[in-house]
Amino acid sequence: MSRSGGSLLSRVTHGVRLAQDGRFEETVDLLTDTRLRLDGHPVSEAAQVVPGLLVNLGLAQILCGRFDRAEDQLREALSLAEERGLPLLGMVAGQNLGCLSLYRGDASAAIAAFHALAPHLPSSRREALHVDLAEALLAEGLVEEAAEVLADGPWAGGGSSSASTLLVEAKLWLLRGDHRRAAELARRVRRGFGRGSLWHRLAARLEHRALREARHRPLSPVERAENALAARVPLAVTARGAPTARHGAPASPARAGGPAAPRSDGPVEDPHVVRAGLESALAAGDASAAVEWAELARTWAVPRVPGPLAHAPGTAALADGYREALVHDRDADAAARLWESERWRAHHAARAAGEPGDAPFPRQAGNRRRSRPPRTAPAPHPGSPERADRPRPVTGPLLERLGDRAFLRYTRAAGDAVVLVAVAGRVHARVLGPLPRVARALSRFVHPLLVPGRPPGATAREAAALATRALLGPALPLIGDRPLVVASDPFLGDPPWGMLPALRGRPVNLVPTARFWLDRRREPGPGAPRPGRVLLVAAPEPGGAVREVSRLADLYPGARVLAGDRARRGEVLAGIGRADLAHVAGHGRVPDRSPMLASVGLSDGPMLACDLSALPRVPDTVVLSTCWSGRDFAGRTGAPLGFAGVLLAAGARTVVASPVPVGDSGTGEAMRRFHRALVGGVPAPEAVAVHLGRAGFCCFGA
């Protein structure tokens, strides 16, 4: 009996080794037979034997495309693990069920499952979890988010020899356009496994695709999009020939409208389909249609990424944990990662369940919002008939209502940075040059500004001039000295636009989309209305904050002033909820990759950007005299985040904030001049341009 039990356990071990070699058909045959032999055998009474076998057998069934059998075996493994008190095996079964959701086409359910496991899995399982999560994000078209997940993996810095890790990295580089790097990684996998291995077949297929794109004639936009869509299908599904149908899968770019503007009934909410439409419109010389596609290029991810108003029961306690970590100088980055993971889990769990969610920006201007359910989710999957938020044409209304302004939409196409200029009744397209060159020019301008207190010198002035030429050079003859409405793109990040020489003193409204500006803009009038209820907040630090607010109080008789020890989080949030204009001065901070945890230090601890998302009402105008408060408005996929993003999403019309550090000296006087102009009826964009633009402040919104 002991010999037969040992033989059965050896068979299980051999099946696992076969799976590691990518020989999943053999794994299924061996483990299925072993499972039958274990029935009634005493060795099956050992706690881990049967659930461990079923976990591995279920995963092998998934990778062979046998989804129903995989689900039965993984559910049984999960039940046995819970019954026998085996939490790690239960989590592995849950992770494999997440993979099953992914391969069946429900990437949202997979993303939710992987994020739910992230805080609990031991380090030995984290590589597999990071790879699975990255593949799920790639399936959704969230390429840069997948890159972040892989960069955070436990192998970061040392590399990984895991076949699945290398193949997902190869997919990532292929989708990013680095075909040679993708081919190199795929080749490493192919050479490490025999022809009977699934890893060999997948690697050979990826390598062939990457080399074809690197050596072939230039591909058309539609061909590039079709290749990207094929690469995004989960790797194991492609190995069996015909890919399994994916729920909510994007349509072929050839059916997305070609160079014409996107149809209101067309499935055009996939990044590669949208990119094909944009590039086709530009190639056809149809700049007006390109604007429509560029709008979608900025909004397609909104349902897939947690927005500024997303709520989940678990995030409140985790936000408090992050707040405590900041106050007590603990590992705030770890607390931020936990909060962000829960936010993604809740968003995608709701999305997988089909729960309705908030639009990223209300259609009408105004700052009262209805109560929301505790969790938010987007509308149903693209292409489903229930969707009511089909794209409305924007170019015609934009040209009609711009008046003496010019609208700039930055986007990218075929490796180039492009600006679309709507001005004087026409739309023009101008190529700015290769993306890396434009990005380098912008980074040379922005990076010195990230060091607080660094005085500008000749090098800084030269960098500003270079950035101006890179971003505005081809557009300047078209726009002249007109006021601007600018819709940026993540590749630009969040530059301080008013510090560019050509824009100094020029009113500039920063908006996420042209549609947002149309919905929020004020009709022309005699001047900006004087705010009724005013809130002035000065944190205890830096010292200039209290002086700044005390001087502003003279301009607003009757304003509520919360300064120093009185600037407590609860009172400040309540005051913001009742004010028409709020001014907050203090130290600002934004953690990497968690813009909704951006903070302003108050007397009893930091106020976070996510705290504002729960307010039923926000002021019409908010001024944030803090460092970094304008970050992550345009520098991320999906709806704008951070303080500016959440305030605009909650109904504010205008937010004045800086995406770079703010100097304590001199800011107070500039703020006083700015507010004096507001009181005198000067519109906020003009007041910002004249008094605050050189200090790095921008005007977000209408």
Side-chain angles (χ1 to χ4, degrees), residues 19 94-95 105 125 147 230 235 254 278 365 368 403 504 527 693:
Q95 182 177 345
R125 290 289 310 179
L235 286 169
L278 172 62
R368 291 196 176 274
R504 287 174 185 163

Side-chain angles (χ1 to χ4, degrees), residues 646-692:
V646 69
L647 285 165
L648 291 175
R653 190 184 301 274
T654 302
V655 178
V656 177
S658 172
V660 295
V662 174
D664 193 24
S665 63
T667 301
E669 181 55 37
M671 280 292 176
R672 181 174 170 81
R673 292 195 299 268
F674 163 76
H675 279 280
R676 187 187 294 122
L678 280 189
V679 170
V682 176
E686 184 178 333
V688 170
V690 173
H691 302 292
L692 296 176

Side-chain angles (χ1 to χ4, degrees), residues 424-499:
R426 291 189 60 192
V427 182
H428 311 262
R430 294 291 183 266
V431 176
L432 301 175
L435 262 174
R437 189 180 73 195
V438 174
R440 281 195 301 271
L442 190 58
S443 66
R444 283 187 58 191
F445 163 59
V446 172
H447 283 176
L449 303 175
L450 305 183
V451 182
R454 182 171 179 173
T459 303
R461 289 191 290 272
E462 178 186 342
L466 178 64
T468 299
R469 291 194 296 274
L471 293 181
L472 296 166
L476 284 174
L478 297 170
I479 64 178
D481 59 358
R482 290 177 171 85
L484 300 181
V485 179
V486 175
S488 190
D489 189 87
F491 80 85
L492 294 180
D494 297 288
W497 292 86
M499 298 181 80

Side-chain angles (χ1 to χ4, degrees), residues 278-311:
L278 172 62
E279 292 176 2
S280 297
L282 290 170
D286 191 344
S288 294
V291 169
E292 306 290 351
W293 285 108
E295 287 278 291
L296 287 172
R298 195 68 183 97
T299 60
W300 67 267
V302 166
R304 295 162 172 81
V305 178
L309 299 181
H311 281 265

